[in-house]
Amino acid sequence: MLKQLSLGAIAMLAPNAINLAMAQASGSLKGNIHHSVCRWTFPHLNLPQVCGLAKSIGFSAVDLIGPKEWSILKSHHIDSSMCNGAEISLTKGWNDPQYHSTLIKNYLEHIELVSKAGYKNLICFTGNRRGMDNEVGLQNCVNGLKKIMSHAEKHGVILHMEILNSRIDHIDYMADSSDWTFELCKRIDSPNMKMLFDIYHVQINEGDIIRRLQKCAPYIGHYHTGGVPGRGEITENQELNYRAIMKAILATGFQGYVAQEFDPSGNTPEEKASSLKRATLLCDV
């Protein structure tokens, strides 16, 4: 009787809940999604510990790591899924020509470093508007980035312009629209210019996530996650259906990384590690 009751209880679960429960029990990942985690979300751990956490869950990539720490990744056989360090800041970027000389120098050097290290993804930012018209800023970005694209193509490095919301977290940031960033990639017209589609930021500024990622799919090279509101764990307590979103991403033929970028739940290192594991399994469709 107890066995029959247990089976009946399982049968009452939603299909997604059954799949998630089975994945948690087996501890294995399907391999359809290339998982990663953003380094800054685990400040209580050093990088070797983050590498160990990633391996314990079953994936092998860490996001937003600069050249000084690549040797640590390599010693743990962990990929740098998104490199950084060439940018000036989030607020001073490619939309303002006064920063172009510094940015061009930085990115030419970093493109070679990324390539030599065997990595391929390098992040970039527009900077803030400061009263600048969207079209002016767009063309400024195109003019500046085109000066380094042949170098990126030669070395097999892909630049990723990140979309950030300008309503809550990054007031005045220019690339706050998937349409604007889509147009940037279209005008540059290089296979080595992509957008970093941050689902958390796009939801806050625009919403309509699945339709937008379907439209932008040809130019999306990387994804970030995050619960809305608050950038917490991507559970049923926030407004996005991440399993549906992951299925939509897979349907576009996407082969890049999906990096978890949220504040993990819990107060202890063990609880925060479990938070990342739950999110990874939730996205493992």
Side-chain angles (χ1 to χ4, degrees):
M1 185 187 302
L2 289 173
K3 183 177 181 181
Q4 288 176 337
L5 285 172
S6 297
L7 291 173
I10 291 173
M12 292 174 66
L13 290 172
N16 283 347
I18 294 174
N19 292 337
L20 184 56
M22 290 175 65
Q24 289 172 329
S26 67
S28 61
L29 300 177
K30 296 182 177 67
N32 298 321
I33 296 287
H34 300 297
H35 300 281
S36 178
V37 60
C38 290
R39 170 68 183 96
W40 71 264
T41 60
F42 283 85
H44 60 287
L45 300 181
N46 60 37
L47 187 53
Q49 290 172 325
V50 174
C51 292
L53 174 59
K55 283 188 171 182
S56 73
I57 296 173
F59 61 90
S60 58
V62 178
D63 237 46
L64 303 179
I65 300 292
K68 292 181 180 180
E69 294 187 303
W70 290 344
S71 61
I72 298 175
L73 296 184
K74 288 183 179 296
S75 68
H76 288 80
H77 305 288
I78 294 288
D79 189 22
S80 177
S81 46
M82 181 59 66
C83 301
N84 64 5
E87 69 278 2
I88 297 173
S89 70
L90 301 184
T91 61
K92 298 176 181 179
W94 288 98
N95 69 342
D96 193 332
Q98 73 171 306
Y99 304 122
H100 281 187
S101 60
T102 299
L103 287 168
I104 289 170
K105 179 179 181 294
N106 289 357
Y107 275 85
L108 289 177
E109 292 175 354
H110 271 71
I111 285 168
E112 293 189 16
L113 291 173
V114 170
S115 177
K116 185 177 181 180
Y119 303 134
K120 67 175 185 178
N121 297 325
L122 181 59
I123 200 168
C124 61
F125 304 97
T126 59
N128 285 4
R129 289 184 174 85
R130 297 186 179 87
M132 186 182 297
D133 178 81
N134 269 345
E135 175 59 30
V136 172
L138 178 59
Q139 195 55 51
N140 287 342
C141 286
V142 171
N143 293 342
L145 286 163
K146 277 194 171 183
K147 293 177 181 177
I148 63 172
M149 290 314 303
S150 61
H151 198 63
E153 292 166 0
K154 175 183 176 182
H155 288 85
V157 173
I158 301 173
L159 302 180
H160 295 74
M161 180 62 73
E162 182 165 18
I163 304 172
L164 303 175
N165 83 77
S166 61
R167 293 182 60 243
I168 305 297
D169 300 289
H170 302 284
I171 304 298
D172 203 42
Y173 184 75
M174 180 160 278
D176 61 354
S177 158
S178 59
D179 288 338
W180 189 97
T181 315
F182 180 95
E183 182 63 22
L184 172 69
C185 294
K186 182 179 177 182
R187 291 191 191 184
I188 291 177
D189 191 26
S190 167
N192 292 66
M193 185 73 229
K194 300 290 185 180
M195 67 171 72
L196 197 169
F197 193 101
D198 189 307
I199 298 165
Y200 164 83
H201 288 298
V202 175
Q203 173 67 5
I204 290 175
N205 250 55
E206 302 179 283
D208 198 12
I209 294 295
I210 290 178
R211 189 188 66 81
R212 292 187 187 282
L213 71 84
Q214 288 170 338
K215 173 188 173 181
C216 295
Y219 295 121
I220 296 176
H222 199 79
Y223 284 95
H224 281 169
T225 72
V228 180
R231 194 158 215 137
E233 183 182 337
I234 54 175
T235 67
E236 69 279 1
N237 297 321
Q238 51 87 54
E239 65 193 44
L240 290 164
N241 182 348
Y242 266 97
R243 287 190 74 79
I245 292 170
M246 291 301 128
K247 289 177 181 178
I249 289 172
L250 280 183
T252 67
F254 180 72
Q255 295 294 314
Y257 278 101
V258 174
Q260 300 290 350
E261 191 181 23
F262 64 88
D263 292 320
S265 303
N267 297 313
T268 68
E270 293 76 17
E271 290 171 339
K272 291 180 182 296
S274 295
S275 178
L276 177 60
K277 183 173 183 178
R278 285 193 300 270
T280 302
L281 291 172
L282 182 69
C283 290
D284 194 52
V285 296

